[in-house]
Amino acid sequence: MSEHRRKPPQPQGGGRAAARRGQPGSSSGRRAAPRGATGSTSDSYEDGPYGPGGNASPYSGRAEARRAAQRGGRRRAAEPVGRGGRRGPGGGTGRAAPPSGKRIIDYPRADRYGWRRWMPSWRLVTGLCIAFVGSLVAVAGIAYAMVSVPDEAAVAKAQNNVFYWSDGSVMVATGGEVNRQNMNYASIPKEMRYAVISQENKTFETDSGIDPKGIARAVLNMARGGQTQGGSTITQQYVKNAMLNDQAQTLSRKVKEIFVSIKVGAQVPKDKIMEGYLNTTYFGRGAYGLQAASRAYFNKDATKLDPGECAFLAAMVKGATYYDPAGATSLDPSATPEANRQRALAQMQDTLDKMVKYGHLSAAERAKYTTLPKIQNPRSNGQLGGQIGYLVDLAKAYLVNNPASHVTADDLQKGGYQIYTTFDKKKVNALEAAVKNVQKANIKPKQRPKTDTYVQFGGASVDPTSGAIKAIYGGEDATKHFTDNADSTGAQVGSTFKPFVLAAAMQWGVRDPNGPESQPQDARTVASPKSLYSGKNKLKIKEYNGKVWTDKDGNEWLQTNDGGESVGHAPDYKIDLREAMQYSVNSAYVQLGMDVGLDKVKESAMDAGILKGSLASANYPSFSIGTSDPSAIRMASAYSTFAARGQQRDPYSVVKVSDKDGVIFRHQDKSTEAFTTKVADNVTDVLKTVVDKGTGTKAQLPGRDVAGKTGTTDGNKSAWFVGYTPQLSTAISMFRLDDNAKNKNRTFLEMYGTGGQEKIHGASFPAEIWHDYMAQALQNEPAMSFPTPEPIGTVLNAEPSPTPTPSATQSPTASPSPSPSPSNTSPSPSPSSSDTCQWSWGNNCNGNGNGIGGTDTGGTTGGTDPTPTVTDTTGPGGNTRGNGNGTIFGGPNG
């Protein structure tokens, strides 16, 4: 018999049968479990715990042993069953014996199975928490021991921002200079101390220097990626302002601030903290510290501040941009003087109420301060005089409002930037000189106080090829007149808005009254500049389908022209769109706007670059003749879109910004197509006619192509001239506005008699300033011509039609007119732009003057008009219509 067939040795104690029975020598019993099935570390059954001398078999039978073996993939061999039916040797606890080598951290848990194996025990969780907290305490202790109280004097200084002209020369170093005079704690009015304590940190006198709840809110908000926020105590603000160079709102800087604040709170007396806080806090207007702020706002020593003034200055701590009553619209359009006054007053009153509530001020004393204190002019830096202050504000506003720059108002206050602007020094000086020359020669408030006081001018010049702002005129002096008239005035633009109506008519077309009723907007006809419209005075304005337009009260709209005159060929006074622009006939362009749709007119203006927020309501026909109030910068930029053949670029004032680490921002040129080249070129060609032989002849530059438009508003409250060459687009505004008036609505004043003229027109002083400036600004520039426009559109209303046409506004009879109807008319009802004298009366087209002349005015409405209406009363010579031998559009000196 072979070796492997031999029988194994028989076990002792009763033999094989006894082993099967589980008891040595027993004649009956169950079979023994297979060797190794108990999970014992012994190699043989006899040597295991259930071998000889054991009291129980590990399994009740072979089937149970087999099932245990099958479960071995997920857990060790089945536990033996002990006494009393419990599993485990000898009737133990029912848990498997742990491995022979114990682990420091029992995870995953050795005595659990399935998902319970991965659930940590409470001992493990508790131990880890204790270890984590202990580590934090240790780290905090080490950090606290390592930080020291920094030297305030070493870092509580701001650097200058250096601004450069477009040629790279230095304009001014300003914006971050230190305007600070320290005060001793004893000299600081107690009302000032308690004003900031009541508003900023009511527990200042008792806290440890930090506010855990506030810190938790700030940290959580930053961790979520939200806007950075405060939650700081006065001690923390003092540390941040005076002791930390790194001002970034980051988690690491916040942690550093906390530890330094704790140490400062523990080591520095409260009076020293308050003294340092009020000496280093920024109050706006370039003022660091209470003394400088008191001088900047009230022109007095801080020791003389009353409780109301103290409460006011406590509001400035929250951010002068939104609380300075002078306003800061250059940094944020919502920071208007009126809005800031309201916020400052509300904050001041809240501070005073809290001072009473916390026992720092008596109710009787508090009752004395219910209005804002008298506040002086915000500018005091002599370097910012003239136009420099306006230029600096414009550049700073561009950076702060441009997300791509990543430069905040706080960053600019700290300084350290080199800011390279687009401003051309020669052009800025030329624009200022042109305004001052006209102002000095004509505006005499001492001689004519009722008509010449409060006269203001604004201007801006933009490069059409890039959008760069080359020059502005913001006002007489940035240290005396702090509203930038180039950026925001609220002066309506009048008929300088009409080119956007013409562009809309050529870009989208007029609506077809015979088109589908369900989709009339889709049935349109592009208008040619030769299209005929009625120039009748008191014209009934109609919807595109011929229905007379009425307002919400049912009143018909009757559009008037300047002087109540009907312009055009009797009896229906038809005039083409070129001539209607040339002489600024309101009735024609108001009706054109209705035919196109005022929504499309609005879209046209916005596409050109006018900001939506400056546009008036488009629910009234007068929208087409300029009830809106864009800034001079935006008007120059919008006209530059036509000069650039339909390519719109937003105006900008900063080319690049550098700091100690190099260039951090560079302007990127971006353009969009606002209009097709065909539309833009035709608008330019029509506006060229205005300067060549229309209301804008004073803007002519010999040897150069000039396109432009005059504009004057109803009540003669503002006058404009906006024009351009291929290289430069410039807007000039003129108005009367008392900036110091207590009227919160900034009422504009009439200009009848201003400058010794019966009426101010866009073609008088504004056009004269435009001409003088542009002649100097383009002195070394080559003369360039506008492109010849391609024919565009369909001639509308060429023949009378029995069905309603987009502007079928014929009068049954000739309306009375102050001037006689022409006795000699042209054979063609639509004279060309080069032959406008064919339908004038008399033999002298130009009268005795040197231009066609005339006026450029809108009119009042015939019905109730909740929106201010606009007139545009300009003539190239600045005179009203005369009775001499001139054309029907002008007087002898036109």
Side-chain angles (χ1 to χ4, degrees):
M1 183 180 293
S2 63
E3 185 69 23
H4 72 275
R5 299 285 293 174
R6 292 178 181 175
K7 294 182 180 180
Q10 296 299 315
Q12 300 298 320
R16 183 183 251 172
R20 285 197 302 269
R21 291 191 296 269
Q23 295 180 359
S26 174
S27 61
S28 65
R30 301 180 184 275
R31 297 181 63 182
R35 181 178 298 174
T38 64
S40 171
T41 58
S42 175
D43 289 338
S44 67
Y45 172 79
E46 289 81 4
D47 295 332
Y50 303 103
N55 295 323
S57 173
Y59 302 105
S60 61
R62 173 182 267 174
E64 184 177 343
R66 185 171 58 253
R67 287 193 295 272
Q70 291 172 349
R71 290 195 297 268
R74 289 185 296 116
R75 72 186 203 188
R76 294 187 298 275
E79 300 94 342
V81 179
R83 293 186 180 90
R86 296 183 181 179
R87 292 187 177 180
T93 61
R95 297 287 185 261
S100 58
K102 292 185 177 181
R103 295 180 294 174
I104 297 176
I105 300 178
D106 184 23
Y107 189 82
R109 300 175 69 180
D111 58 346
R112 292 292 185 272
Y113 310 102
W115 63 270
R116 293 181 179 84
R117 177 176 172 82
W118 302 99
M119 289 295 293
S121 66
W122 67 269
R123 293 184 181 88
L124 178 60
V125 173
T126 303
L128 290 176
C129 289
I130 293 174
F132 178 72
V133 173
S135 299
L136 287 182
V137 172
V139 171
I142 294 172
Y144 181 80
M146 291 181 64
V147 299
S148 59
V149 177
D151 180 11
E152 172 190 323
V155 295
K157 294 181 180 179
Q159 303 177 64
N160 285 334
N161 291 317
V162 182
F163 292 80
Y164 296 86
W165 294 105
S166 59
D167 63 2
S169 60
V170 175
M171 179 197 304
V172 65
T174 185
E177 70 278 3
V178 178
N179 177 17
R180 175 184 170 198
Q181 302 88 42
N182 288 343
M183 298 181 68
N184 294 325
Y185 180 82
S187 301
I188 298 173
K190 64 181 180 63
E191 290 85 1
M192 188 68 221
R193 301 197 301 267
Y194 287 123
V196 295
I197 288 174
S198 299
Q199 191 59 254
E200 299 290 318
N201 182 194
K202 65 179 181 180
T203 62
F204 168 74
E205 295 177 322
T206 58
D207 63 34
S208 62
I210 62 170
D211 176 11
K213 291 183 180 179
I215 293 171
R217 287 193 302 269
V219 171
L220 181 60
N221 197 52
M222 284 188 286
R224 290 175 174 174
Q227 184 178 3
T228 57
Q229 63 183 41
S232 299
T233 63
I234 287 176
T235 302
Q236 285 178 263
Q237 293 180 52
Y238 166 57
V239 168
K240 175 185 174 183
N241 294 338
M243 297 183 174
L244 296 181
N245 285 313
D246 181 11
Q247 296 296 319
Q249 289 282 6
T250 61
L251 190 59
S252 61
R253 192 209 59 79
K254 195 71 177 177
V255 171
K256 182 178 180 181
E257 174 191 306
I258 291 172
F259 284 116
V260 175
S261 299
I262 293 173
K263 180 155 281 191
V264 169
Q267 297 182 3
V268 181
K270 291 291 185 180
D271 58 348
K272 288 296 182 182
I273 294 175
M274 177 59 72
E275 176 186 303
Y277 170 72
L278 288 176
N279 279 331
T280 58
T281 294
Y282 184 71
F283 288 86
R285 298 192 177 186
Y288 289 85
L290 179 61
Q291 177 63 18
S294 182
R295 283 292 179 185
Y297 289 95
F298 307 118
N299 195 27
K300 63 166 64 173
D301 287 331
T303 56
K304 299 179 181 178
L305 293 172
D306 61 40
E309 293 166 337
C310 291
F312 169 84
L313 290 178
M316 296 304 103
V317 173
K318 291 187 172 296
T321 298
Y322 300 101
Y323 291 94
D324 188 340
T329 52
S330 62
L331 296 178
D332 188 332
S334 67
T336 61
E338 177 58 25
N340 279 16
R341 280 194 292 268
Q342 292 179 356
R343 281 189 285 261
L345 179 59
Q347 189 68 21
M348 170 186 165
Q349 297 303 305
D350 182 65
T351 299
L352 290 169
D353 290 341
K354 288 180 178 177
M355 292 173 70
V356 174
K357 178 180 178 181
Y358 302 141
H360 304 313
L361 185 69
S362 68
E365 183 69 11
R366 183 261 177 272
K368 298 178 182 178
Y369 308 103
T370 57
T371 60
L372 285 176
K374 184 177 180 181
I375 300 164
Q376 69 169 358
N377 186 306
R379 295 188 184 276
S380 58
N381 187 344
Q383 289 182 296
L384 299 177
Q387 300 305 303
I388 299 299
Y390 302 124
L391 298 173
V392 167
D393 283 350
L394 194 61
K396 289 166 64 176
Y398 175 75
L399 291 177
V400 171
N401 295 320
N402 186 348
S405 75
H406 302 292
V407 177
T408 67
D410 287 341
D411 294 334
L412 289 173
Q413 291 166 2
K414 299 303 178 184
Y417 294 102
Q418 295 83 50
I419 302 169
Y420 296 82
T421 74
T422 61
F423 307 130
D424 186 311
K425 184 176 182 180
K426 292 182 179 179
K427 288 182 174 62
V428 170
N429 292 338
L431 182 54
E432 183 177 30
V435 172
K436 287 187 174 181
N437 289 340
V438 168
Q439 192 171 28
K440 183 177 180 180
N442 300 281
I443 309 302
K444 303 182 183 301
K446 292 184 179 180
Q447 296 180 14
R448 296 182 291 267
K450 293 184 177 181
T451 59
D452 287 17
T453 53
Y454 309 125
V455 173
Q456 299 184 33
F457 295 91
S461 198
V462 174
D463 182 351
T465 64
S466 65
I469 302 172
K470 307 305 292 185
I472 64 169
Y473 180 82
E476 181 181 357
D477 190 319
T479 63
K480 300 176 181 177
H481 172 80
F482 47 86
T483 299
D484 186 354
N485 290 345
D487 193 29
S488 177
T489 61
Q492 295 180 353
V493 296
S495 286
T496 57
F497 201 79
K498 288 175 182 174
F500 307 128
V501 183
L502 180 61
M506 293 191 291
Q507 182 83 354
W508 290 290
V510 301
R511 292 172 289 185
D512 185 356
N514 299 317
E517 293 184 4
S518 61
Q519 295 178 316
Q521 298 278 0
D522 296 335
R524 291 178 172 272
T525 302
V526 172
S528 165
K530 296 180 181 180
S531 298
L532 298 177
Y533 274 75
S534 175
K536 182 179 180 295
N537 184 55
K538 293 187 177 181
L539 178 70
K540 285 186 179 181
I541 299 302
K542 299 182 179 181
E543 299 279 4
Y544 75 96
N545 57 9
K547 181 181 178 181
V548 176
W549 193 92
T550 57
D551 60 20
K552 60 183 179 63
D553 297 322
N555 298 310
E556 294 183 346
W557 190 288
L558 302 178
Q559 183 60 53
T560 61
N561 292 325
D562 176 52
E565 296 182 1
S566 296
V567 182
H569 302 279
D572 53 6
Y573 298 99
K574 287 291 185 68
I575 185 173
D576 70 27
L577 294 178
R578 179 185 297 274
E579 292 165 333
M581 183 75 76
Q582 181 178 342
Y583 302 112
S584 202
V585 180
N586 287 331
S587 55
Y589 272 91
V590 169
Q591 184 59 60
L592 177 62
M594 297 298 289
D595 292 347
V596 174
L598 297 182
D599 59 331
K600 291 299 183 183
V601 174
K602 181 177 182 178
E603 186 175 347
S604 172
M606 292 172 61
D607 287 347
I610 300 298
L611 296 178
K612 183 178 180 180
S614 65
L615 293 173
S617 171
N619 295 327
Y620 301 94
S622 59
F623 178 76
S624 294
I625 51 175
T627 55
S628 301
D629 57 5
S631 67
I633 291 174
R634 283 290 169 175
M635 286 300 291
S637 176
Y639 272 49
S640 74
T641 301
F642 299 127
R645 308 191 70 187
Q647 293 298 311
Q648 190 271 331
R649 294 176 173 85
D650 283 336
Y652 72 101
S653 56
V654 176
V655 177
K656 68 177 181 179
V657 179
S658 300
D659 63 7
K660 60 184 178 62
D661 297 320
V663 177
I664 62 172
F665 167 76
R666 191 183 301 273
H667 172 77
Q668 300 295 326
D669 181 44
K670 295 180 181 179
S671 66
T672 58
E673 185 180 81
F675 309 107
T676 64
T677 56
K678 185 182 290 189
V679 169
D681 290 347
N682 273 275
V683 172
T684 294
D685 191 59
V686 171
L687 294 181
K688 186 173 180 291
T689 306
V690 175
V691 177
D692 287 346
K693 57 187 68 176
T695 60
T697 55
K698 271 197 173 181
Q700 293 176 356
L701 298 173
R704 292 186 183 273
D705 277 1
V706 176
K709 185 69 186 75
T710 54
T712 305
T713 57
D714 191 27
N716 204 209
K717 294 178 181 179
S718 63
W720 289 73
F721 185 83
V722 187
Y724 55 93
T725 67
Q727 300 107 313
L728 202 60
S729 176
T730 301
I732 303 295
S733 65
M734 177 181 177
F735 52 91
R736 287 183 67 207
L737 177 64
D738 182 4
D739 283 339
N740 298 317
K742 295 181 179 180
N743 190 325
K744 297 181 180 180
N745 295 324
R746 288 167 52 89
T747 302
F748 286 84
L749 307 176
E750 294 179 342
M751 293 190 292
Y752 296 109
T754 298
Q757 298 193 4
E758 182 179 346
K759 193 174 185 179
I760 296 297
H761 310 106
S764 55
F765 298 142
E768 185 178 343
I769 292 171
W770 189 97
H771 170 273
D772 294 349
Y773 160 68
M774 292 289 280
Q776 290 295 317
L778 298 172
Q779 192 171 23
N780 297 321
E781 299 286 340
M784 297 177 64
S785 300
F786 292 122
T788 301
E790 297 180 30
I792 190 172
T794 301
V795 178
L796 304 176
N797 309 320
E799 297 293 338
S801 174
T803 58
T805 59
S807 61
T809 53
Q810 297 181 4
S811 172
T813 58
S815 300
S817 172
S819 59
S821 301
S823 56
N824 297 321
T825 61
S826 168
S828 169
S830 175
S832 66
S833 62
S834 60
D835 193 17
T836 57
C837 293
Q838 294 178 6
W839 53 288
S840 64
W841 66 292
N843 297 322
N844 188 349
C845 286
N846 293 325
N848 296 328
N850 52 17
I852 287 188
T855 59
D856 171 13
T857 190
T860 57
T861 59
T864 303
D865 179 14
T867 304
T869 54
V870 175
T871 61
D872 183 5
T873 56
T874 41
N879 296 325
T880 55
R881 304 183 187 192
N883 296 321
N885 297 323
T887 69
I888 61 172
F889 300 105
N893 295 321

